Amino acid sequence: MVVRTNPGVVIPRNTGWSMLFKEPDAEFQVSAFTRYEPTNDAEVPRALHLVVDLAAASLDDAVSEALGNTGGLTTMMAFVGNSHVDSPELHVAYDVTGDDAEHEYVQTYRPPVDELPQLGAHLDLTLFEAVHDRLLASKHSTRLGMALVQYNEALRSLRPAGDVTAAGHLFMAVEALVDVVKKREMQATGFTSDEELAAHYGIDTTEMYKARNEITGHLRRTVIFHGDDKTHRALKKASDGFEHGFLPIVEVRKSAEGGHLPAAFHHVRRTICELLDLPADLVEHLAGIRACSELRSRDRSFPLQEGAGCGRPVA
């Protein structure tokens, strides 16, 4: 079957990506490519297509499995390109089993694409495969996958007046990561309890429920935000104020704006790369890819440069 999504990431023309996945009770093949459309003297990248071959009890089951399996892949692609990618949608599915002359199939209508090229990032397939392999090998893959989903949703909100929702999703990514950071810190220090870790950080352990909150805050500030207290405070205030409704939206927006959001994206992105245990050169490469979006911050904090992001210059 074929599923497709927006060209948030663009695979180079005449190339593609393919992999055979083997699981304990299933096996499936996924291939990905970008469809290019000739226009005058150029070729415009359109939808990102993924072709899935798998076995299932019914066509409906096959469609559900295909959408579930490709959703994780496009989320990883979005992170690598630093450009939002929508969840894949079914284009066509058909049954190829048996020797009958007729086979069951389903095809869904998709509105025609806009004639204007859409914003997208060139996907480095080498980087994507590195992230894919490290995520699958990580014992923290579930939490890291949750962080990638929230990061992709934050990228979706990078548009005029989208700072509040971007900050909220980005802080949810932080909350998914802090559990991984804590486990790694305890492994590195050899501590086996929250009491030991709190004492190590100089936190009062008289009331452990408070101490645990302080441990979480300490790890967010020092590890995930790399000691950038100002950005951590601003993002937490915006997220908490919006989620719990104790701040007026004007105050929430003030906390999300002011140059804090680009810094927050950079910290979270770098932390994910570090937690994936990627080689140092790949961490630097991935961390240096700027967000590819329609956001134009006042301080030009999201330059869109050739070879680093979507390849479109800042207007």
Side-chain angles (χ1 to χ4, degrees), residues 67-288:
L67 292 175
N69 293 328
T70 54
L73 292 174
T74 55
T75 297
M76 281 183 266
M77 290 178 179
F79 176 76
V80 172
N82 216 3
S83 177
H84 171 73
V85 179
D86 291 330
S87 297
E89 297 179 312
L90 177 66
H91 177 48
V92 62
Y94 52 91
D95 174 30
V96 297
T97 58
D99 297 324
D100 296 336
E102 296 183 357
H103 294 268
E104 183 182 8
Y105 80 96
V106 60
Q107 185 170 5
T108 58
Y109 171 76
R110 293 284 172 250
V113 297
D114 192 334
E115 290 185 2
L116 294 176
Q118 297 183 41
L119 204 63
H122 293 288
L123 181 64
D124 186 320
L125 293 176
T126 300
L127 288 178
F128 168 67
E129 288 186 352
V131 170
H132 174 271
D133 292 347
R134 292 308 307 158
L135 182 63
L136 263 61
S138 174
K139 61 182 179 181
H140 304 298
S141 58
T142 299
R143 280 278 179 173
L144 290 171
M146 292 165 59
L148 289 178
V149 169
Q150 293 296 342
Y151 188 91
N152 190 23
E153 289 304 310
L155 287 172
R156 182 204 292 269
S157 299
L158 279 181
R159 61 185 187 276
D163 291 0
V164 171
T165 50
H169 283 295
L170 205 56
F171 200 75
M172 283 188 273
V174 171
E175 291 176 327
L177 293 173
V178 75
D179 181 68
V180 181
V181 170
K182 181 180 176 182
K183 288 177 179 177
R184 288 169 65 103
E185 287 288 297
M186 294 186 77
Q187 182 179 3
T189 57
F191 298 138
T192 58
S193 68
D194 289 343
E195 288 85 352
E196 291 178 312
L197 194 60
H200 176 68
Y201 294 144
I203 297 171
D204 184 3
T205 59
T206 304
E207 298 179 272
M208 277 309 300
Y209 76 94
K210 291 184 178 179
R212 290 188 181 94
N213 287 337
E214 291 191 43
I215 290 172
T216 298
H218 175 83
L219 294 175
R220 283 199 308 256
R221 291 190 303 273
T222 60
V223 179
I224 298 177
F225 285 86
H226 303 90
D228 185 353
D229 290 348
K230 186 176 181 181
T231 298
H232 171 255
R233 286 196 304 270
L235 195 71
K236 186 177 187 304
K237 181 179 179 180
S239 177
D240 288 350
F242 180 58
E243 179 182 354
H244 301 296
F246 63 80
L247 283 179
I249 194 66
V250 174
E251 293 299 317
V252 174
R253 184 161 285 116
K254 284 181 180 178
S255 294
E257 293 174 347
H260 299 302
L261 203 55
F265 266 95
H266 177 74
H267 289 308
V268 174
R269 183 174 181 80
R270 175 173 285 275
T271 298
I272 292 174
C273 294
E274 293 169 348
L275 293 176
L276 285 170
D277 292 324
L278 291 165
D281 60 333
L282 292 189
V283 170
E284 294 303 320
H285 191 163
L286 276 166

Side-chain angles (χ1 to χ4, degrees), residues 13 35-46 115 117 312:
R13 192 168 62 88
R35 183 180 72 83
Y36 286 79
E37 181 178 288
T39 56
N40 298 325
D41 296 329
E43 289 190 321
V44 178
R46 295 302 191 187
E115 290 185 2
R312 296 172 182 269

